[in-house]
């Protein structure tokens, strides 16, 4: 039974102030996280061709970029490290003077209040590009846990505010929680990449982080895009093991997963608008096929509407600047 003509939805759409008055979802700079790629050297800025506007930055340049982010209104960053050397075990990941510990110290000096989240994974540090140590050509789960825990601890000791394991090994949240607690970092939160799908949208990131697998793919540890019940089991496991915040990744193709995780667990949910999602919008906009600002705002609004509290996006600085205006 239609309530028309008593109810006319268009009445509430007639003026900009009225539309804003009844808007249900907001994108705010406080909940955006900017990912950054840190590389060795000084004064280095290597643009990533498949991610226009994004560059690999040396530690000094990363600290400068953090100043600009703070000016724009962004107060959280997610750090990825590209080490000087890679080996089979990803030793660079656990070094106390590794690329991430050095970046943490420099950013802390430049912008003391910036929230520093570190990606905990081995793929940037292994010469084979997989997210763990190998045995017979396969990623070996349990030995990898020790390395990840040591990596998280190295980040904690160097001043990380949150550690974010993205490897998708079973049991890693528990292993990291135990290592942090044993070393006195009981207060340090874990943001787990709980539902991370084996996605075709990570291509540009692997160029930026130099982490393309030398053989095979990540389907033996990342999730099948077809599965949402399994995603809920993954999240349940991470929450039991001590995750304080959970992530769904990528974002736009997985809005249903975000919604179900938010409703089921009521934990803070982060969604990662990944490199391929960024590249698609940039490429279409560069061709004049879509309006970039509108498309970005629409995607971020959709991700928030689906239930994400936090959005990790390469657009964070631009969007925050736009919100300031
Ligand atoms: C792995 C990691 C990846 C991303 C974040 N952490 C890549 C992968 O799993 O291959 C992808 C992020 C993006 O595409 O923007 N440590």
């Amino acid at each position: 039974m239609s309530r028309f003509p008593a109810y006319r939805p268009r009445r509430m759409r007639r003026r900009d102030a009225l539309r804003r008055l009844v808007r249900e979802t907001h994108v705010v700079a406080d909940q955006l996280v900017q990912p950054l790629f840190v590389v060795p050297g000084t004064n280095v800025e290597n643009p990533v061709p498949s991610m226009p506007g994004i560059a690999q930055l040396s530690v000094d340049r990363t600290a400068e970029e953090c100043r600009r982010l703070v000016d724009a209104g962004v107060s959280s960053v997610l750090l990825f490290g590209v080490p000087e050397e890679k080996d089979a075990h990803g030793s660079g990941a656990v070094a106390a003077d590794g690329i991430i510990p050095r970046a943490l110290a420099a950013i802390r000096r430049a912008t003391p209040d910036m929230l520093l989240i570190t990606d905990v994974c081995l793929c940037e540090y292994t010469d084979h590009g997989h997210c763990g140590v190998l045995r017979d050509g396969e990623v070996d789960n349990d030995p990898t846990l020790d390395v990840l825990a040591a990596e998280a601890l190295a980040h904690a000791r160097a001043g990380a505010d949150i550690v974010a394991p993205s490897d998708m090994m079973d049991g890693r949240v528990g292993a990291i929680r135990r290592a942090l607690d044993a070393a006195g970092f009981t207060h340090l939160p874990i943001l787990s990449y709980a539902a991370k799908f084996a996605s075709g949208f990570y291509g540009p990131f692997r160029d930026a982080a130099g982490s393309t697998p030398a053989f095979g793919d990540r389907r033996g540890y990342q999730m099948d895009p077809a599965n949402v019940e399994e995603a809920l089991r993954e999240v349940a496991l991470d929450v039991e093991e001590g995750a304080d915040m959970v992530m769904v990744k990528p974002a736009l193709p997985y809005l249903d997963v975000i919604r179900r995780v938010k409703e089921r667990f009521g934990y803070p949910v982060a969604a990662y608008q990944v490199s391929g999602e960024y590249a698609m919008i940039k490429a279409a906009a560069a061709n004049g096929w879509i309006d970039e600002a509108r498309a970005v705002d629409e995607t971020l609004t959709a991700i928030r509407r689906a239930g994400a509290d936090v959005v990790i996006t390469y657009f964070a600085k631009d969007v925050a600047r736009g919100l300031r205006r």
Side-chain angles (χ1 to χ4, degrees):
M1 205 178 58
S2 166
R3 291 170 58 211
F4 177 84
Y7 178 49
R8 289 179 181 269
R10 286 184 57 190
R11 270 183 215 131
M12 297 295 277
R13 296 180 196 146
R14 291 190 58 239
R15 284 174 163 284
D16 195 47
L18 179 55
R19 288 190 292 268
R20 282 190 276 120
L21 188 71
V22 297
R23 183 166 291 155
E24 298 172 30
T25 308
H26 294 92
V27 174
V28 293
D30 282 344
Q31 296 185 311
L32 301 179
V33 179
Q34 176 78 47
L36 296 173
F37 301 104
V38 193
V39 293
T42 46
N43 207 19
V44 178
E45 178 174 350
N46 293 330
V48 181
S50 50
M51 300 178 74
I54 301 295
Q56 298 178 320
L57 301 172
S58 49
V59 168
D60 53 325
R61 292 292 201 96
T62 301
E64 284 168 26
E65 178 65 6
C66 286
R67 283 207 196 92
R68 284 189 288 273
L69 285 165
V70 168
D71 288 342
V74 176
S75 39
S76 305
V77 290
L78 173 60
L79 301 174
F80 294 95
V82 184
E84 27 275 288
E85 274 172 36
K86 305 184 185 227
D87 61 28
H89 297 277
S91 340
V94 305
D97 62 347
I99 187 83
I100 290 294
R102 292 190 328 261
L104 288 167
I107 300 171
R108 188 66 78 204
R109 271 196 302 278
T111 52
D113 295 330
M114 183 67 102
L115 189 80
L116 306 177
I117 310 172
T118 59
D119 185 82
V120 174
C121 194
L122 299 187
C123 64
E124 301 102 310
Y125 302 90
T126 51
D127 51 13
H128 46 72
H130 278 286
C131 301
V133 294
L134 299 181
R135 194 178 58 187
D136 304 330
E138 255 195 74
V139 175
D140 198 359
N141 195 88
D142 296 7
T144 300
L145 300 183
D146 297 333
V147 191
L148 292 167
E151 180 180 11
L153 197 52
H155 295 177
R157 290 196 167 116
D161 294 306
I162 299 180
V163 290
S166 69
D167 51 282
M168 289 300 279
M169 295 303 115
D170 297 332
R172 89 271 208 224
V173 173
I176 290 171
R177 185 72 271 161
R178 283 189 294 277
L180 291 175
D181 289 356
F185 292 98
T186 51
H187 57 279
L188 200 86
I190 298 175
L191 160 59
S192 80
Y193 286 66
K196 176 174 178 180
F197 291 88
S199 172
F201 291 102
Y202 302 152
F205 172 95
R206 292 177 188 174
D207 297 337
S211 64
T212 309
F215 63 91
D217 56 44
R218 303 206 203 288
R219 281 182 279 200
Y221 38 104
Q222 298 179 352
M223 283 191 56
D224 183 337
N227 298 353
V228 62
E229 297 300 335
E230 186 192 359
L232 298 176
R233 292 197 297 275
E234 279 279 10
V235 174
L237 203 58
D238 285 6
V239 164
E240 272 165 36
E241 289 178 30
D244 301 282
M245 210 190 294
V246 290
M247 194 194 299
V248 175
K249 176 185 171 193
L252 209 57
Y254 298 90
L255 295 181
D256 59 319
V257 182
I258 295 172
R259 163 59 45 191
R260 295 209 38 202
V261 168
K262 186 66 204 175
E263 282 182 350
R264 171 84 58 100
F265 298 94
Y267 266 62
V269 175
Y272 197 147
Q273 182 177 50
V274 300
S275 57
E277 297 180 74
Y278 176 85
M280 280 197 299
I281 292 175
K282 281 287 183 186
N287 277 293
W289 295 337
I290 59 169
D291 176 325
E292 178 173 325
R294 278 192 68 180
V296 171
D297 183 57
E298 192 172 331
T299 56
L300 297 183
T301 301
I303 294 163
R304 295 264 299 130
R305 193 192 62 231
D309 302 287
V310 176
V311 187
I312 301 164
T313 173
Y314 299 97
F315 290 112
K317 185 171 69 177
D318 287 356
V319 170
R321 276 193 183 137
L323 291 171
R324 282 252 152 126
R325 259 181 251 123

